[in-house]
Amino acid sequence: MADEPQKKSHLSALVGHTNGLTKPASLAATATRAGGGGGGGATASSKKLVIKNFRERPKLPDNYTHDTWQKLHEAVGAIQSSISIKYNLEELYQAVENLCSYKVSATLYKQLRQVCEEHVKAQILQFREYPFVVHRNSLDSLLFLKKINKCWQDHCRQMIMIRSIFLFLDRTYVLQNSMLPSIWDMGLELFRNHIISDKQVQTKTIDGILLLIERERNGEAVDRSLLRSLLSMLSDLQVYKESFEQRFLEETNCLYAAEGQRLMQEREVPEYLHHVNKRLEEEGDRVITYLDHSTQKPLIACVEKQLLGEHLSAILQKGLDNLLDENRISDLTQTYQLFSRVKGGQQILLQHWSEYIKNFGTTIVVNPEKDKDMVQELLDFKDKVDHIIEVCFQKNEKFINLMKESFETFINKRPNKPAELIAKYVDSKLRAGNKEATDEELERILDKIMIIFRFIHGKDVFEAFYKKDLAKRLLVGKSASVDAEKSMLSKLKHECGAAFTSKLEGMFKDMELSKDVMVQFKQYMQNQSDPGNIDLTVNILTMGYWPTYTPMEVHLNSEMIKLQEVFKTFYLGKHSGRKLQWQTTLGHAVLKAEFKEGKKEFQVSLFQTLVLLMFNEGDEFSFEEIKMATGVEDSELRRTLQSLACGKARVLIKNPKGKDVEDGDKFIFNGDFKHKLFRIKINQIQMKETVEEQVSTTERVFQDRQYQIDAAIVRIMKMRKTLGHNLLVSELYNQLKFPVKPGDLKKRIESLIDRDYMERDKDNPNQYHYVA
């Protein structure tokens, strides 16, 4: 076909046209030869053969138009009656082409339209037979739909056949007249005007379709191919939107509004959401199977609005807490997916998510009875919400950020205590004897702890308790791993800056320097005339780095005092101008003891050592005698004796028996002491925190805070010179890194006014001036 225009053009150039037809190539060749035969060459006398058109166009035979139309009319009638056509289809097609060639196209189109219109008009009669009252449960509606569907299918088939015969007319005359519909469109127009636009037929058709869809929604099996065909018909006839879609969406709206109200009362939230999901899938399937694609958006929006949008708060109030409490991952995933489909759904889910975290977290934090397990519960809760965000909420940033805000809100509802307990939890994990975790697991636990630590406002409380516990771990030799300690330190430094960890790093430096000093001291002792039997190890602590310890004067034995003096002479000989203060509370020793069973070694505190050494002088002593001999403070001595006589390793026997040490109790050396181990640790008592320690650490934090507030006020006033009360308070809140009440700030301002750092304005008491 691609070469045809070129071929025609070429032949035209050779021979021209004859009677509107292209001359065959053989004729053109003959003509050329005839022209060139006389002269034997291309000479001036050569003759050219010129072929001209007929002077007059050939006429059609009489009655040709009438007879041909009769033939075509008869063929159209046969098609419409579904009987065989007498004539050859090619012959009929040629007849249409001939009529069109002789300017009869307009009449032919008009006659064809008339014949088709008469046939379509006649079809309406068959639908008059059906009663036009819809009985919802009768088969009458279904029979009617099948009838209308058959009529439509027949009409389409007939119009395809008719168009194939009148194709030449469709492609020439109709194409050139833009106002005329094509033969196929004419057929659609006639069917629309005379059948579907008939009020009774249209009403019954739409009612029947809606009834079938309703039955399918109620779980019945229906003829989906029939629905697809009928809705496709409405779409082709361009009446789908106004005649069907509007009513369909109204009925859908009413159905799901009622269903939503009913099921919200009857069902639990997971079941209800499962039902919503099922309904959305069903409606999506309807769009794919038989509804027009344009219906998808309004239909799905309607289902979402009535089953979800109208009940967002009710669904969450009724069931979200249970889903979260029971960690129902699949149901939470479904909740998130469904709520994300509805406008405002995610926002309301976010609010309830935040409320849940705050409420649940508050129950963990504010209850003093839960203090023992608070940090572990916080870590477990954080793991749980992280998992829900990752799996159910698709790592949505809004949920992550709101979770962090919620954690920060509830964890600071009880000031200071969470910070203290987190420090103690870290201590329990970093202590020697913690066999729960490998190095990797310990690192992972510390990372999780740091996340919780981030939410705390009063980080100075954490620092104070962490510092106190770290000191004990280092001095009593109870640290599980130096690497783990350094790792935690680097995490704190990264989180809070170098100023936060400078003192903690100083503690580690002291321990390293102490090792070097002890190497030198050992060499020094070897050069002494009387090195003694006791092996002394001393840790030299820089006062500014370590927690403040209250000095306790105790009665050491003569050998210990002698060794202390030797070390003092050695150390001050190297570092003149320094002052040594002995801290007895954290001293510890290894004692060798002999029992009937054999020799044992005890790892004990200095106070325990002093008590046990007394039993070299006698087998029985009273509480008062021990107190006088050792000089240990009353409550500390009671704890010490309790650990020796009431613990697991009972080196002493208390008389009378009991858990608490009372005045007048007597203590006897237990010669029958037995233990499976050779070296027994009894100095865990040193690691336990006393109530006094806890109170003094907290008080020290508050004291430090007062200094920080004072410093911040003076710094601000020095820079601003004059400032109003509210502006000063606002600036303080920005600068201070711990929670503080307005009343406390006011007290500090009053204190600074009394100490002449600043003064009130004479005219305006809310205005302050800096005093240089």
Side-chain angles (χ1 to χ4, degrees):
M1 287 298 287
D3 296 338
E4 195 176 340
Q6 191 180 349
K7 187 174 173 187
K8 284 186 178 179
S9 171
H10 177 59
L11 292 173
S12 301
L14 286 173
V15 298
H17 291 284
T18 65
N19 199 18
L21 296 172
T22 307
K23 198 74 175 169
S26 58
L27 177 60
T30 310
T32 308
R33 281 198 299 276
T43 60
S45 59
S46 320
K47 290 182 181 178
K48 287 184 182 175
L49 180 64
V50 179
I51 300 169
K52 296 181 180 178
N53 286 336
F54 292 124
R55 290 176 190 277
E56 289 181 13
R57 191 175 180 187
K59 287 184 180 177
L60 287 172
D62 293 342
N63 296 328
Y64 178 81
T65 306
H66 179 263
D67 294 345
T68 305
W69 167 244
Q70 286 303 321
K71 194 191 289 185
L72 291 168
H73 187 195
E74 199 178 315
V76 171
I79 290 168
Q80 290 170 339
S81 306
S82 298
I83 55 174
S84 59
I85 306 167
K86 290 182 188 175
Y87 311 102
N88 187 314
L89 286 176
E90 196 176 341
E91 182 186 337
L92 293 169
Y93 179 88
Q94 191 61 52
V96 171
E97 188 176 344
N98 290 342
L99 287 175
C100 290
S101 301
Y102 282 88
K103 311 291 184 192
V104 195
S105 302
T107 312
L108 185 61
Y109 182 82
K110 198 181 289 182
Q111 287 170 322
L112 176 62
R113 182 185 174 94
Q114 193 177 346
V115 171
C116 291
E117 190 165 13
E118 285 167 4
H119 174 72
V120 171
K121 276 182 180 175
Q123 297 303 307
I124 196 75
L125 299 173
Q126 63 182 313
F127 302 114
R128 303 278 187 211
E129 300 164 13
Y130 286 86
F132 281 92
V133 178
V134 175
H135 302 292
R136 303 289 287 177
N137 298 319
S138 73
L139 286 170
D140 178 58
S141 179
L142 182 62
L143 293 171
F144 178 84
L145 291 180
K146 286 183 175 174
K147 190 81 174 169
I148 197 98
N149 185 49
K150 185 177 184 305
C151 177
W152 166 249
Q153 297 294 344
D154 289 347
H155 177 75
C156 289
R157 184 176 44 76
Q158 291 161 13
M159 290 311 297
I160 289 166
M161 284 286 287
I162 291 166
R163 183 178 179 272
S164 67
I165 292 170
F166 289 85
L167 190 62
F168 192 86
L169 175 70
D170 208 27
R171 286 187 175 170
T172 53
Y173 173 71
V174 175
L175 208 58
Q176 289 156 9
N177 288 272
S178 59
M179 299 303 289
L180 292 176
S182 68
I183 292 170
W184 174 257
D185 289 343
M186 175 191 75
L188 293 179
E189 188 185 300
L190 293 173
F191 198 89
R192 178 170 63 243
N193 293 344
H194 298 296
I195 294 181
I196 286 300
S197 290
D198 182 279
K199 193 160 183 60
Q200 289 179 322
V201 173
Q202 188 180 109
T203 303
K204 181 123 188 190
T205 304
I206 303 304
D207 285 349
I209 291 171
L210 291 172
L211 181 59
L212 275 188
I213 293 172
E214 186 187 326
R215 283 179 182 170
E216 188 184 42
R217 280 174 171 163
N218 291 336
E220 294 179 38
V222 299
D223 187 348
R224 291 183 132 207
S225 60
L226 175 63
L227 281 169
R228 183 166 57 244
S229 178
L230 288 168
L231 290 169
S232 176
M233 170 190 81
L234 295 178
S235 205
D236 290 345
L237 297 174
Q238 296 176 347
V239 294
Y240 178 88
K241 275 205 180 303
E242 65 269 21
S243 67
F244 168 76
E245 188 178 83
Q246 199 173 344
R247 272 193 63 195
F248 169 68
L249 291 173
E250 283 168 9
E251 291 207 2
T252 301
N253 209 45
C254 294
L255 169 78
Y256 287 127
E259 186 173 277
Q261 294 287 351
R262 178 170 53 83
L263 293 182
M264 272 302 294
Q265 302 298 323
E266 294 174 7
R267 297 193 179 182
E268 290 301 312
V269 167
E271 292 169 15
Y272 181 78
L273 292 175
H274 183 70
H275 176 77
V276 174
N277 207 40
K278 183 165 158 270
R279 281 301 202 196
L280 285 165
E281 284 173 2
E282 285 172 5
E283 296 302 337
D285 183 53
R286 274 186 196 101
V287 172
I288 294 166
T289 311
Y290 54 75
L291 293 171
D292 190 82
H293 187 68
S294 64
T295 310
Q296 181 174 13
K297 203 171 178 181
L299 171 61
I300 298 300
C302 169
V303 181
E304 288 171 350
K305 180 176 183 290
Q306 294 303 338
L307 293 184
L308 282 172
E310 298 292 328
H311 309 285
L312 291 175
S313 291
I315 290 169
L316 295 176
Q317 283 164 7
K318 189 177 178 183
L320 182 67
D321 286 8
N322 285 341
L323 297 183
L324 289 166
D325 285 341
E326 294 166 22
N327 209 24
R328 293 169 69 166
I329 298 297
S330 58
D331 292 331
L332 286 167
T333 305
Q334 189 172 64
T335 305
Y336 175 78
Q337 288 170 349
L338 289 172
F339 273 63
S340 297
R341 299 176 70 135
V342 187
K343 188 180 179 184
Q346 264 196 22
Q347 196 54 43
I348 199 163
L349 181 58
L350 272 168
Q351 289 165 11
H352 280 77
W353 164 248
S354 174
E355 285 305 310
Y356 173 81
I357 292 174
K358 286 175 191 170
N359 294 338
F360 191 92
T362 303
T363 60
I364 298 173
V365 170
V366 299
N367 186 355
E369 291 173 12
K370 285 193 170 186
D371 282 359
K372 189 181 174 187
D373 301 314
M374 182 203 287
V375 180
Q376 190 56 55
E377 284 190 29
L378 284 174
L379 290 173
D380 294 342
F381 183 47
K382 180 70 171 56
D383 283 345
K384 176 180 165 180
V385 296
D386 283 347
H387 183 66
I388 289 168
I389 286 172
E390 186 175 348
V391 178
C392 309
F393 299 160
Q394 298 170 0
K395 300 179 184 173
N396 187 316
E397 281 294 325
K398 289 179 182 174
F399 283 84
I400 293 170
N401 294 334
L402 197 61
M403 176 268 289
K404 289 177 181 174
E405 287 173 27
S406 306
F407 258 82
E408 193 171 334
T409 303
F410 79 71
I411 213 165
N412 291 296
K413 277 189 176 176
R414 187 180 175 195
N416 308 322
K417 197 66 183 177
E420 176 191 328
L421 292 173
I422 288 169
K424 288 175 180 173
Y425 184 86
V426 174
D427 175 55
S428 73
K429 295 298 172 190
L430 292 176
R431 241 187 237 182
N434 174 30
K435 294 170 185 172
E436 298 168 33
T438 62
D439 289 349
E440 291 79 11
E441 285 168 352
L442 182 58
E443 190 66 22
R444 202 157 48 245
I445 289 168
L446 295 179
D447 283 334
K448 287 179 181 179
I449 286 284
M450 288 309 297
I451 292 169
I452 302 291
F453 171 72
R454 232 166 256 155
F455 301 131
I456 288 169
H457 289 162
K459 292 184 169 61
D460 51 347
V461 175
F462 172 88
E463 184 195 10
F465 280 94
Y466 182 79
K467 184 175 170 183
K468 175 182 69 65
D469 292 332
L470 173 63
K472 283 189 177 182
R473 289 198 301 278
L474 294 176
L475 297 175
V476 185
K478 289 284 183 183
S479 181
S481 153
V482 175
D483 290 341
E485 295 282 7
K486 294 276 179 75
S487 169
M488 185 63 191
L489 207 58
S490 70
K491 291 182 202 302
L492 289 169
K493 190 172 186 176
H494 182 264
E495 186 63 35
C496 305
F500 187 85
T501 56
S502 61
K503 289 181 180 177
L504 303 175
E505 286 170 337
M507 290 162 73
F508 280 97
K509 281 179 191 165
D510 280 353
M511 295 304 290
E512 294 296 323
L513 289 170
S514 296
K515 283 180 187 174
D516 296 339
V517 171
M518 289 321 296
V519 170
Q520 295 167 10
F521 180 63
K522 295 259 189 315
Q523 291 169 351
Y524 175 80
M525 287 299 288
Q526 284 169 4
N527 298 328
Q528 296 296 307
S529 55
D530 181 16
N533 297 326
I534 302 173
D535 186 9
L536 177 68
T537 303
V538 181
N539 289 313
I540 300 100
L541 317 179
T542 308
M543 282 189 80
Y545 294 159
W546 295 78
T548 308
Y549 298 109
T550 310
M552 193 186 294
E553 291 295 329
V554 293
H555 305 152
L556 302 175
N557 65 22
S558 56
E559 268 193 277
M560 289 180 180
I561 293 168
K562 184 185 170 189
L563 261 175
Q564 276 190 350
E565 289 303 319
V566 170
F567 181 79
K568 193 172 179 181
T569 308
F570 158 76
Y571 187 76
L572 295 179
K574 284 185 169 291
H575 306 279
S576 58
R578 291 191 182 179
K579 184 184 174 187
L580 285 178
Q581 186 181 52
W582 295 91
Q583 294 289 355
T584 52
T585 49
L586 290 170
H588 56 100
V590 175
L591 281 183
K592 291 179 180 176
E594 284 189 32
F595 298 95
K596 289 176 184 176
E597 192 190 47
K599 290 184 179 180
K600 297 283 181 189
E601 284 187 1
F602 293 118
Q603 196 168 319
V604 284
S605 71
L606 182 61
F607 298 156
Q608 288 171 327
T609 305
L610 297 177
V611 170
L612 288 174
L613 286 175
M614 282 184 68
F615 288 89
N616 284 336
E617 310 301 324
D619 288 338
E620 185 179 322
F621 294 97
S622 67
F623 173 74
E624 287 74 15
E625 287 170 335
I626 295 171
K627 184 178 178 183
M628 191 175 289
T630 58
V632 178
E633 184 264 327
D634 190 280
S635 61
E636 193 64 51
L637 181 59
R638 288 178 197 275
R639 283 177 73 223
T640 303
L641 287 168
Q642 209 174 12
S643 68
L644 293 170
C646 309
K648 288 179 183 176
R650 299 190 179 186
V651 188
L652 304 178
I653 296 168
K654 186 171 91 74
N655 190 10
K657 289 183 178 179
K659 284 188 176 179
D660 295 321
V661 175
E662 305 293 345
D663 293 348
D665 284 356
K666 296 198 180 298
F667 295 89
I668 304 154
F669 181 70
N670 182 9
D672 297 324
F673 176 79
K674 289 181 181 178
H675 203 283
K676 60 181 179 179
L677 298 175
F678 174 69
R679 178 174 280 199
I680 303 136
K681 293 179 183 176
I682 317 178
N683 69 332
Q684 285 90 339
I685 187 172
Q686 284 181 292
M687 296 300 287
K688 285 180 184 171
E689 181 186 57
T690 62
V691 177
E692 293 81 7
E693 266 188 302
Q694 196 261 338
V695 170
S696 69
T697 307
T698 308
E699 283 176 356
R700 206 158 49 246
V701 170
F702 291 145
Q703 189 62 50
D704 287 346
R705 283 184 178 180
Q706 287 190 356
Y707 298 146
Q708 287 183 54
I709 295 169
D710 289 356
I713 294 170
V714 171
R715 199 164 48 241
I716 293 164
M717 291 306 300
K718 190 175 183 181
M719 187 169 68
R720 299 289 186 89
K721 303 300 185 220
T722 300
L723 203 60
H725 177 80
N726 290 339
L727 282 172
L728 176 58
V729 169
S730 171
E731 191 69 41
L732 282 169
Y733 277 126
N734 289 336
Q735 288 198 18
L736 297 171
K737 293 179 180 176
F738 49 83
V740 61
K741 294 173 186 170
D744 294 336
L745 292 179
K746 201 167 182 182
K747 282 179 191 170
R748 299 320 306 157
I749 292 168
E750 294 294 342
S751 167
L752 289 169
I753 290 171
D754 292 345
R755 288 182 280 158
D756 293 333
Y757 282 95
M758 53 199 281
E759 62 184 9
R760 270 201 172 83
D761 189 90
K762 288 173 182 145
D763 302 324
N764 182 0
N766 277 334
Q767 191 90 356
Y768 304 117
H769 301 291
Y770 176 67
V771 177

